[in-house]
Amino acid sequence: MTSQAIIAGGGIGGLACALSLARADMPSVLLEQAPAFAEVGAGLQLGPNAVRVLSDWGLMDALQACAAFPEALRVRDARSGASLGRLALGAMALVRHGQLYATLHRADLHALLLHAVQRRADAVQLRLSSRLAAYEESGGGVCARLEDGDSVKGDALIGCDGLWSRVRTQMLGEQPTRATGHLAYRGMVRAADLPPALRANVVTAWLAPRLHVVHYPVKQGDWFNVVAVVQGSLPAGDDPQAWTHDAHASDLRRVLSSACTELLTMVDAVADWKLWALNDRVPMQGAHEHARGRVALLGDAAHPMRPYLAQGAAMAIEDAWTLGRLLQGTDEHASRDWPALLARYAQTRWQRNARVQARSQRNGTIFHASGPLRWGRNTAMTLLRERLLDNPWLYGGPPEPA
């Protein structure tokens, strides 16, 4: 059997994993359940830690062709419009952290990675309409059984199959996801359709009790991504595993009835809203949740997180980069010790991922605060300014494998 890794899932994490392994001269076969590669969703943010990885992979030109690079993060009160805090990004992110801060459409990041993987056809086999049903691990490898009755054999299996991961379920047992009680309304609007004051090249976060709204430029500033997160639940009968639901703008407008005029102008400019129910898991408890034997988890399959630190995609990219770095330190012509390699991967990644999960959850509480907590948050932003908003421990990553 030709030496290869099996990757389950063709989203951002799976493609990043395939590219990272290919750069380390490790062939792989990537199994994607859909009949075509596509990415649902809207915008995402990539901190300097994730941009650093894309730069290391030679993808900066491709990133600059589709992303925006905001000059600042602004935090404002959703009701009064008052400024609560500001963090300089742009050139200052480069000075502080050695890389830029990027915002882009999720589909553009997916396409960027897919194109890079397709250029490595010598090392990556892409298989569509190939949904993993189960796997069997033996002393010499892993056999992935597909729903259509076919099977694929490899030296290791990397589960990049997201929040509802089948690899995770078999590896760790049935562990239900956790409903956060938060709903995300997502939409896009052309910059040309906004008043000049709302076209600034910045990430703006509006905070109010029980909700917050974030908007930022994507597609080189030609569009803005808008996300409104409110506390609530899906209507009865809606599938929580569905990625998107049709949303009614009137429902969101009702929740934002006391918002300031500037924020309402941005929200009203969005013509089509989609709705997601946000689910996650408790922060990782140990390395055993990242890898066992010849099977490992990557991205949301291992550590789904709330979007309040804007690091979901970044942590998947970091996971993939780490696997590649570990493989670069092995002899491609010798039999690689996958259980030992994946154990090192798990030890390197789990605590950082758990910290980001916990910090993301905490941020959600702070963003939606009311009463004394809200007062304390606003006071802290006034006193600490950029020190409160910056995250050098995060943006300086990813850490080199131990």
Side-chain angles (χ1 to χ4, degrees):
M1 180 188 71
T2 301
S3 179
Q4 66 179 12
I6 306 168
I7 299 170
I12 288 170
L15 291 174
C17 181
L19 179 59
S20 188
L21 267 56
R23 289 174 52 83
D25 298 314
M26 182 67 218
S28 65
V29 54
L30 185 150
L31 309 174
E32 166 55 36
Q33 65 179 353
F37 283 106
E39 182 60 77
V40 298
L44 55 77
Q45 303 177 56
L46 291 180
N49 51 312
V51 174
R52 182 171 295 109
V53 172
L54 297 182
S55 178
D56 183 57
W57 289 343
L59 299 177
M60 279 304 293
D61 287 347
L63 181 65
Q64 289 170 344
C66 65
F69 298 91
E71 298 170 358
L73 162 66
R74 298 188 306 189
V75 183
R76 301 179 63 179
D77 186 284
R79 291 176 172 173
S80 69
S83 176
L84 300 177
R86 185 181 187 277
L87 173 66
L89 299 174
M92 283 307 299
L94 198 60
V95 170
R96 284 184 176 128
H97 309 299
Q99 263 304 344
L100 294 167
Y101 193 105
T103 52
L104 68 165
H105 197 284
R106 181 176 293 272
D108 289 337
L109 176 59
H110 187 268
L112 178 159
L113 291 169
L114 177 59
H115 183 63
V117 168
Q118 288 171 332
R119 294 201 304 265
R120 301 301 302 259
D122 59 319
V124 184
Q125 178 189 359
L126 300 175
R127 291 188 50 166
L128 296 169
S129 300
S130 299
R131 188 177 190 186
L132 183 140
Y135 67 84
E136 298 172 5
E137 183 179 0
S138 65
V142 180
C143 180
R145 307 290 183 186
L146 308 185
E147 282 192 343
D148 63 6
D150 199 0
S151 62
V152 179
K153 294 183 179 180
D155 300 321
L157 170 63
I158 316 300
C160 308
D161 47 344
L163 177 65
W164 315 100
S165 168
R166 291 189 171 188
V167 178
R168 178 191 179 96
T169 297
Q170 184 169 340
M171 189 178 100
L172 298 177
E174 191 70 45
Q175 298 176 335
T177 59
R178 180 173 62 174
T180 65
H182 291 183
L183 300 175
Y185 289 81
R186 303 181 189 269
M188 299 275 291
V189 58
R190 287 184 182 274
D193 294 335
L194 294 170
L198 289 174
R199 298 180 202 162
N201 183 28
V202 297
V203 178
T204 304
W206 304 83
L207 309 186
R210 295 178 59 82
L211 68 88
H212 75 281
V213 182
V214 180
H215 54 78
Y216 48 81
V218 297
K219 296 185 179 295
Q220 295 186 312
D222 291 339
W223 287 77
F224 273 76
N225 180 70
V226 188
V227 183
V229 179
V230 304
Q231 294 179 207
S233 56
L234 289 174
D238 282 1
D239 181 4
Q241 292 193 29
W243 279 111
T244 181
H245 303 265
D246 290 331
H248 299 290
S250 58
D251 292 340
L252 178 58
R253 196 59 157 76
R254 191 178 307 113
V255 175
L256 293 171
S257 59
S258 60
C260 66
T261 300
E262 192 172 354
L263 173 54
L264 290 178
T265 299
M266 173 63 84
V267 170
D268 289 343
V270 177
D272 182 37
W273 289 98
K274 298 296 181 183
L275 184 62
W276 274 261
L278 300 181
N279 296 275
D280 69 352
R281 297 184 184 276
V282 298
M284 301 187 79
Q285 301 298 301
H288 67 283
E289 294 185 8
H290 239 320
R292 292 186 178 186
R294 292 177 175 268
V295 181
L297 302 175
L298 183 150
D300 282 353
H303 44 76
M305 55 190 65
R306 304 183 189 189
Y308 312 136
L309 196 55
Q311 283 288 314
M315 288 299 104
I317 291 170
E318 282 197 11
D319 285 351
W321 180 86
T322 301
L323 269 178
R325 294 290 285 184
L326 288 167
L327 279 163
Q328 287 171 3
T330 63
D331 183 355
E332 63 180 286
H333 300 293
S335 177
R336 284 163 163 152
D337 186 347
W338 277 98
L341 185 147
L342 294 179
R344 287 185 63 196
Y345 159 75
Q347 286 293 342
T348 300
R349 294 300 305 163
W350 84 266
Q351 289 178 306
R352 179 171 171 86
N353 286 324
R355 183 179 183 185
V356 175
Q357 284 178 293
R359 184 66 65 89
S360 300
Q361 180 177 337
R362 189 190 74 171
N363 277 4
T365 301
I366 294 171
F367 289 178
H368 292 196
S370 59
L373 181 58
R374 177 173 177 265
W375 179 87
R377 176 199 69 199
N378 294 354
T379 302
M381 285 190 180
T382 300
L383 296 175
L384 298 177
R385 299 181 184 274
E386 293 199 336
R387 284 177 293 166
L388 188 67
L389 296 174
D390 204 4
N391 293 290
W393 65 272
L394 176 61
Y395 297 148
E400 286 284 348

